[in-house]
Amino acid sequence: MTMQVDAVGLRSKARLGIRVAGWLAVLTVVEYFVAVGLDSPLVWLLPLAAAKGWLIMRYFMHVNEVFEGGH
Amino acid sequence: MRPLIRAVVLGLVGYVAGAWLTVAVRGGSPSDDVAVVFGFILGLIGWLMGIGVWNAWAREWFGLPAKPDQATGWKRYFTFNTDHKVIGIQYLVTFIAILLLGGAMALVMRMELARPGQDFLTLDAYNKLMSMHGILMVATAVAGVLGAFGNYLVPLMIGARDMAFPRVNALSFWLIPPVAIGLLSAPLLGSFDTGWTAYPPLSVVNQGGQVLFILAVTTFGLSSILGGLNIVTTVATMRAPGMTWGRLPIFVWGAFCASILSLLVTQFFAASLILILLDRVAGTTFFGAAAGGDPLLYQHMFWFYSHPAVYIMVLPAFGVMLEIITHLARKPLFAYKAVVAGFWGIVGLSTIVWAHHMFTSGMAEQLHAPFMALTEAISIPTGLVFLGALGTLWQGKLQSKTPLWLAFGWLFNFAIGGITGIYLADVATDIHLQDTYFVVAHFHYTIVGGTIFALIAGSYFWFPKITGRMYNERLGKIFAVWLTVGFNLVFIPLFWLGVNGLNRRVADYPEFYAGPNAFASVAAYILGAGFLLYAGNLLWSARRGPAAGPNPWNARTLEWQLPSPPPEHNFPLLPEVVGHPYDYGVPGSVHAAQEAAEGGEE
Amino acid sequence: MALSAGAAHERAEAMWRPRANRLGLWLFFASEAFLFAAFISARFVTSGTDKPDTLNQPLALGITVVLLASSISAYLAETSIAHGDRKGLIRYLSITILLGLVFLVGVVFEFREAMEYFPPGTIYGSNFVALIGLHGFHVFTGIVALAVALGLGKKGHFEPDDYWGVEGVVKYWHFVDLAWVIIYPTLYLF
């Protein structure tokens, strides 16, 4: 059985994923230095973790599809 | 029966393998806590694979075709069958059996309590028996109504051909027998004496039976979570054309709301028990105050589940009772929207009231007032449910049938349960009443009076649909009166005992409390004897009762438009819903389009 | 009626089945979130934001990056099969499993080291054991699920319009990553 590879669509989607991952990496590094550098980092870490969580849920897990029908 | 035998054999092999492997690796005895943990886990996997998870499901993970069990007739009930109606009946029969077993244990306890002094149970044996009675009955209340009627009725009522995940559904049921086996074999390891609440520090240091309790109850939690997930998904995605949210039968709303709670909060019970297990087997110190742990942490986590749990028990029961009342009063359900709003109000509030169980625990003082106020606020949505029930009965054309008689008993009992709850929610009175028989009487009025009455009333009301035959109406009514009167005779004296200071969970008491205790014990035996009538009536009628026809109550909801019992996959053609389900007496009203009814009779 | 009953039911199921699968999986995640929330709240209730100075910060940052990288490869695996690239599916699933195993090895190494500095008999140690154990269990089950999807993919299962198996497993793997996004600051950073 052969499948038709949609190379153009694949490449654009892949680029989006890598861009999101880049943001996640930046946020993680920021998180690390905030934690090491500040005395009570709690206030800063919560929004950072929330932002990372949102990126993963929105772009990797496609949470919006739950509220739409079909594919 | 082959799958069942396979399951038992593989379960035993798994248990023995797990326990002995643990011993081989770390030494010690096979009755050590760690060995029991690994034994139980492997045993559970063996049991599930044996009963049919492997054949009907796991084979696909390796690219092999699934081989679902093809059994028909009565043999279906002993296999990994995915028909929601089969699963509903499996739940119903299993939990009525557990109800009767737990009731028999209560009778033994009442025998000990009939007179002051230690008569034939040691204090220790009494505590263990009381704990076993507690957890079996809690399980019955949590999964009885929701598992039996939720599975059987939800797809029928919304016009679906099955649940969204039929194999997950079968898995939810087949997780139950290992739970029962685990709990009932706990006496082999010294049983558990903590009550069903399993508070540390006792539950960290007592005998190994506690480990079986933890493992069994966590497994039960998994079953509840998967069952709840299935019902929520089914209702959200599989409603028949025209079955809008505003037209859902009220039982579906009750099951849906209870399922949301069960899906989410059950994890906190699992988590609190896992932390106890870690304290026992991994050397952690969550609840050891000496090393910085906090025993109150357990109570917070436990009640974060176990208070909403009473609404997991009672929301589907509300649904059952309102169905019965509206069909048998021949009137539209009064204040339908307010009742649904009440259900949602209960779901929301139930998760922020847990610490009213802890007023005497030594938790922070400033938590007392908010938890008291929030708890008492729950009477508002509950009041809306009562409003719906009473408004529907008002000037209805009441059909004098057993389920409606039981509904009147339910109204009376649950009203008493609710009103006595206010004294326990109020900090000032609770400090006096905490851990007395007043609490025992209160929660039996809500859970037996509210949920078990619904389980019994529902088992009469849908009996003709499930079996195709009619129960004996005269015996049914005698039992309805017997149950209501007997129940009240047992538990009213306990309020007096509690107000006068008799502690719960003790086998012995001073002479002062002798009279009401003797009375309650005699009444308990009368109540218990009544269940012979119940079981006898239903068992005999299931085989010999007169044919009931598709719709003996002349009811409007979709399950009554199908033959009794409904065929596999329910609806040959999907019904088209065009109106509200309860518009009795409204001229020209229709619930479902005619094709559905005709399709049903093919 | 133009359609036979059976065909009509199949068409109806094609409508609700993808929605039901996704909703069911997300409800499962919501339920799991409560389990993680219970363990995380136990950490804050019993030991506030205290943490020992002996935590291995560089190693923790390292395994965090590894798990993040495995999320990208999982994403690429799903994107590949959605666009008909079976080779890509197999390649990226294998990379994801490999990165997952590297993460697990890192965790085990970190765990052994940690148990010497703060044994489970201390309260931070208790929370460390519980949270790392809970998350590690999820990583382990995620790897098993990825391996099952890989095996099926190699046998020629999954098509661009029928890859729920891959989608579900990959979503679960992202959820495991998401849980770590919260657990990492909970244990190491606060």
Side-chain angles (χ1 to χ4, degrees):
Chain A
M1 197 155 27
T2 56
M3 286 191 286
Q4 210 61 36
V5 179
D6 171 13
V8 181
L10 177 57
R11 207 173 302 130
S12 87
K13 283 278 183 196
R15 232 181 264 134
L16 172 71
I18 288 168
R19 212 158 48 227
V20 173
W23 278 107
L24 284 168
V26 170
L27 287 173
T28 306
V29 172
V30 172
E31 206 176 33
Y32 179 77
F33 283 107
V34 165
V36 173
L38 298 182
D39 276 342
S40 56
L42 184 75
V43 208
W44 299 100
L45 289 175
L46 286 179
L48 281 167
K52 287 171 71 179
W54 183 79
L55 282 175
I56 292 176
M57 290 211 288
R58 172 67 185 78
Y59 290 101
F60 285 173
M61 298 168 83
H62 312 291
V63 64
N64 50 317
E65 283 174 2
V66 180
F67 306 103
E68 299 160 4
H71 253 283
Chain B
M1 297 298 272
R2 270 210 8 240
L4 197 60
I5 295 164
R6 204 167 51 205
V8 171
V9 171
L10 283 179
L12 282 175
V13 169
Y15 186 92
V16 172
W20 282 107
L21 273 176
T22 316
V23 172
V25 171
R26 65 179 281 281
S29 129
S31 61
D32 284 353
D33 287 358
V34 192
V36 174
V37 171
F38 286 104
F40 188 90
I41 292 171
L42 284 192
L44 182 65
I45 293 172
W47 162 272
L48 290 175
M49 290 299 166
I51 198 68
V53 171
W54 170 257
N55 274 339
W57 199 347
R59 285 170 59 91
E60 289 184 357
W61 304 338
F62 301 94
L64 305 167
K67 290 194 295 190
D69 203 286
Q70 304 293 344
T72 52
W74 64 271
K75 284 183 180 161
R76 285 176 300 168
Y77 298 102
F78 298 93
T79 63
F80 194 78
N81 192 294
T82 55
D83 183 344
H84 71 98
K85 298 185 290 298
V86 170
I87 294 167
I89 293 169
Q90 286 171 329
Y91 266 102
L92 186 63
V93 173
T94 306
F95 280 103
I96 286 181
I98 293 179
L99 174 74
L100 297 179
L101 181 64
M105 290 176 182
L107 290 183
V108 178
M109 286 156 65
R110 279 318 319 176
M111 193 183 285
E112 170 63 43
L113 292 170
R115 284 183 314 198
Q118 268 176 257
D119 296 323
F120 66 102
L121 287 178
T122 62
L123 300 179
D124 194 41
Y126 177 87
N127 274 351
K128 288 171 176 172
L129 187 67
M130 174 273 296
S131 305
M132 187 70 84
H133 165 79
I135 191 64
L136 291 181
M137 290 310 213
V138 165
T140 305
V142 166
V145 176
L146 191 56
F149 299 128
N151 277 310
Y152 196 92
L153 294 173
V154 164
L156 287 170
M157 283 180 162
I158 65 172
R161 285 158 59 86
D162 206 319
M163 297 286 261
F165 307 112
R167 290 187 296 201
V168 175
N169 204 17
L171 176 64
S172 304
F173 173 75
W174 284 108
L175 284 168
I176 303 281
V179 175
I181 295 167
L183 287 173
L184 292 173
S185 56
L188 297 176
L189 293 173
S191 206
F192 47 93
D193 49 2
T194 53
W196 82 279
T197 51
Y199 276 8
L202 179 57
S203 55
V204 176
V205 297
N206 61 359
Q207 284 168 296
Q210 193 73 43
V211 174
L212 277 176
F213 172 94
I214 289 169
L215 295 165
V217 173
T218 309
T219 309
F220 181 66
L222 180 62
S223 162
S224 295
I225 289 166
L226 295 176
L229 187 153
N230 224 332
I231 288 179
V232 173
T233 311
T234 305
V235 176
T237 60
M238 293 174 69
R239 282 165 288 125
M243 180 61 87
T244 57
W245 290 96
R247 287 173 180 161
L248 279 186
I250 199 69
F251 173 72
V252 178
W253 271 118
F256 184 78
C257 291
S259 296
I260 288 180
L261 278 177
S262 141
L263 169 73
L264 299 177
V265 295
T266 307
Q267 295 282 15
F268 268 73
F269 196 8
S272 62
L273 290 176
I274 290 170
L275 294 187
I276 296 239
L277 193 62
L278 287 176
D279 269 15
R280 290 184 73 112
V281 304
T284 60
T285 178
F286 284 101
F287 308 118
D294 183 4
L296 276 191
L297 170 69
Y298 178 85
Q299 296 189 25
H300 281 295
M301 289 171 78
F302 172 81
W303 287 114
F304 187 80
Y305 162 74
S306 294
H307 191 75
V310 307
Y311 295 101
I312 298 172
M313 301 170 190
V314 93
L315 279 168
F318 285 162
V320 165
M321 284 310 190
L322 290 172
E323 288 284 340
I324 289 172
I325 286 172
T326 187
H327 292 311
L328 293 182
R330 313 303 301 165
K331 267 182 64 188
L333 180 59
F334 183 74
Y336 171 90
K337 285 180 182 163
V339 172
V340 174
F343 284 2
W344 281 107
I346 288 172
V347 169
L349 280 174
S350 70
T351 56
I352 47 174
V353 298
W354 72 88
H356 64 227
H357 293 273
M358 300 167 58
F359 287 146
T360 60
S361 68
M363 70 171 180
E365 286 272 327
Q366 66 267 27
L367 293 177
H368 285 185
F371 275 106
M372 175 175 88
L374 287 166
T375 304
E376 292 180 357
I378 278 206
S379 47
I380 297 167
T382 314
L384 291 176
V385 177
F386 259 73
L387 179 76
L390 294 175
T392 311
L393 287 168
W394 181 256
Q395 293 193 335
K397 276 165 76 177
L398 303 188
Q399 313 289 301
S400 172
K401 304 287 182 193
T402 307
L404 193 65
W405 286 42
L406 283 163
F408 279 102
W410 169 80
L411 272 172
F412 178 77
N413 295 334
F414 202 75
I416 294 199
I419 289 166
T420 52
I422 296 173
Y423 299 95
L424 296 172
D426 194 279
V427 180
T429 40
D430 180 67
I431 285 172
H432 175 65
L433 295 170
Q434 167 80 22
D435 264 342
T436 67
Y437 265 86
F438 191 90
V439 178
V440 175
H442 159 73
F443 74 70
H444 279 88
Y445 265 94
T446 51
I447 295 175
V448 181
T451 303
I452 303 300
F453 265 63
L455 182 67
I456 291 168
S459 67
Y460 280 107
F461 186 72
W462 282 287
F463 185 83
K465 179 52 61 187
I466 293 171
T467 62
R469 295 178 185 277
M470 204 60 189
Y471 60 86
N472 184 304
E473 192 66 61
R474 181 188 299 266
L475 291 180
K477 281 177 186 160
I478 292 173
F479 177 67
V481 175
W482 193 331
L483 180 69
T484 310
V485 173
F487 171 74
N488 278 282
L489 291 180
V490 179
F491 288 97
I492 290 239
L494 303 193
F495 284 122
W496 184 90
L497 288 170
V499 171
N500 286 283
L502 177 56
N503 274 336
R504 61 193 284 212
R505 297 181 171 181
V506 272
D508 193 5
Y509 50 82
E511 194 64 41
F512 173 69
Y513 300 109
N517 263 314
F519 185 87
S521 288
V522 173
Y525 277 85
I526 295 173
L527 174 63
F531 277 88
L532 297 175
L533 187 61
Y534 170 69
N537 185 358
L538 294 195
L539 286 176
W540 190 85
S541 303
R543 295 177 63 87
R544 298 282 160 80
N551 194 356
W553 312 121
N554 202 11
R556 292 263 183 111
T557 42
L558 287 172
E559 81 271 27
W560 298 107
Q561 314 315 317
L562 294 171
S564 302
E568 204 182 0
H569 296 308
N570 308 341
F571 299 95
L573 289 173
L574 278 189
E576 172 103 30
V577 177
V578 293
H580 207 268
Y582 305 120
D583 283 342
Y584 293 112
V586 178
S589 65
V590 183
H591 176 43
Q594 200 56 41
E595 285 109 317
E598 281 174 3
E601 278 154 22
E602 274 172 14
Chain C
M1 273 234 191
L3 282 172
S4 74
H9 289 305
E10 265 175 38
R11 268 218 338 220
E13 171 147 4
M15 291 293 289
W16 60 258
R17 175 51 67 193
R19 288 179 58 214
N21 281 347
R22 286 195 185 120
L23 179 65
L25 191 60
W26 276 98
L27 290 173
F28 176 70
F29 293 154
S31 177
E32 288 269 273
F34 270 67
L35 180 61
F36 281 101
F39 277 66
I40 290 169
S41 54
R43 183 257 196 272
F44 290 116
V45 169
T46 51
S47 50
T49 54
D50 294 345
K51 62 173 194 289
D53 300 329
T54 43
L55 284 164
N56 189 339
Q57 292 288 359
L59 178 59
L61 185 62
I63 58 175
T64 303
V65 171
V66 168
L67 196 61
L68 174 62
S70 78
S71 248
I72 314 169
S73 59
Y75 171 88
L76 291 174
E78 183 187 344
T79 312
S80 299
I81 190 67
H83 294 85
D85 181 1
R86 181 177 304 284
K87 282 201 188 107
L89 170 75
I90 291 167
R91 181 169 64 239
Y92 288 118
L93 276 183
S94 310
I95 294 175
T96 311
I97 292 172
L98 197 69
L99 289 171
L101 288 172
V102 171
F103 177 85
L104 263 191
V105 170
V107 163
V108 169
F109 185 79
E110 157 73 343
F111 196 80
R112 295 177 73 102
E113 196 183 55
M115 287 303 97
E116 287 171 20
Y117 292 120
F118 37 90
T122 64
I123 191 63
Y124 182 87
S126 299
N127 284 301
F128 192 86
V129 167
L131 273 168
I132 294 285
L134 178 70
H135 186 259
F137 175 73
H138 281 81
V139 174
F140 173 74
T141 51
I143 291 175
V144 171
L146 286 166
V148 167
L150 177 64
L152 289 175
K154 278 186 174 163
K155 284 193 176 139
H157 286 64
F158 309 125
E159 305 291 331
D161 55 357
D162 173 26
Y163 60 93
W164 166 249
V166 175
E167 187 185 332
V169 168
V170 165
K171 275 201 172 76
Y172 181 71
W173 188 255
H174 290 313
F175 177 77
V176 171
D177 189 18
L178 184 63
W180 186 252
V181 163
I182 311 295
I183 289 176
Y184 171 56
T186 301
L187 282 179
Y188 288 92
L189 301 183
F190 283 134

